[in-house]
Each structure stands twice: as C-alpha cells, then as structure tokens.
Amino acid sequence: MLGAGLNVEALYERYGPMVLRRCRYLLRNEDEAMDVLQDVFMNLIKQGDRFEAAYPSSLLYRIATNLSLNRIRDRKRQPSGRGDGETLHRVGCAPDPDAPLLRRWLFGRHPEAT
C-alpha cells in the first residue's frame, strides 16, 4: 500500500515498464514517453504521503494516462511552426509585391523633402 512508507524505487522497478508502455502507446513519441514516465514517479516523490491505494499499478496507470493526455492536449495548443526560425525568416524577408504601390501611395501625396 502506498502512503507514509512509500518506496518509490521499488515501485519504479516493478511498474516502470508498464507506465512506459502506456506513455509510449498514448504519446507515440519515445522522448515524451520517457519525460512522462519521470513525471509520474516525481509526482509520487513529491506527494507520496497523499497517495493511498491498495493497487499501486492502477494508480500509476491512471497517473500515466492523465499526464500523457495532458501532454497531448498541450501539443495541440502550441503553434505548429514553433521553433522554426528559418520559416519565420523566409516569411519576414519575402518580397512584398504590393510594397512599391503602398510606398507610392503613402509618400506620393507629400513632397519628397518631407
């Protein structure tokens, strides 16, 4: 039973592979699955005295599922081109075919000295 006598190392050795399989299945990304695996057991370390469960495998499975689903939801909230400086540079430096027209329209009404 989890609680005050929480042995996270023993839980990790016994249930870590199960948690990792669940994370891999949901996330379909090895690096993210490893991150969530660590997050699951960090939750146990941080809040171990609050966990009470007769079946630790069910608890760990549920935590892994919730953290994985949170990660998937967060992925969808982030812009798709994030971190792609090359794309941003290309878009920002692309010639604008309307720029000369806009420049003439804006400045054509005023004397050149202005």
Side-chain angles (χ1 to χ4, degrees), residues 4-48:
L6 181 66
N7 185 350
V8 176
E9 185 176 355
L11 291 171
Y12 181 83
E13 288 177 17
R14 183 165 182 187
Y15 300 110
M18 175 200 68
V19 170
L20 184 57
R21 277 192 306 274
R22 180 64 175 161
C23 296
R24 282 179 181 150
Y25 175 78
L26 291 171
L27 295 167
R28 311 258 187 242
N29 180 304
E30 184 69 22
D31 292 334
E32 282 188 306
M34 293 298 290
D35 288 345
V36 173
L37 169 70
Q38 290 178 357
D39 290 344
V40 168
F41 287 95
M42 285 304 297
N43 281 347
L44 286 180
I45 291 170
K46 289 179 185 175
Q47 301 177 9

Side-chain angles (χ1 to χ4, degrees), residues 25-110:
Y25 175 78
L26 291 171
L27 295 167
R28 311 258 187 242
N29 180 304
E30 184 69 22
D31 292 334
E32 282 188 306
M34 293 298 290
D35 288 345
V36 173
L37 169 70
Q38 290 178 357
D39 290 344
V40 168
F41 287 95
M42 285 304 297
N43 281 347
L44 286 180
I45 291 170
K46 289 179 185 175
Q47 301 177 9
D49 57 336
R50 293 182 49 207
F51 290 116
E52 291 293 331
Y55 303 100
S57 61
S58 298
L59 175 66
L60 293 170
Y61 192 85
R62 185 182 59 188
I63 294 170
T65 299
N66 290 341
L67 290 177
S68 295
L69 293 175
N70 288 346
R71 183 70 66 109
I72 291 167
R73 184 191 64 232
D74 291 345
R75 260 192 233 156
K76 292 179 182 177
R77 288 183 179 172
Q78 295 173 349
S80 60
R82 118 184 121 87
D84 188 4
E86 182 181 331
T87 301
L88 292 175
H89 183 5
R90 271 188 297 147
V91 169
C93 294
D96 184 0
D98 295 329
L101 296 172
L102 180 62
R103 196 171 29 254
R104 270 185 273 161
W105 180 77
L106 286 173
F107 299 110
R109 297 186 270 165
H110 303 287

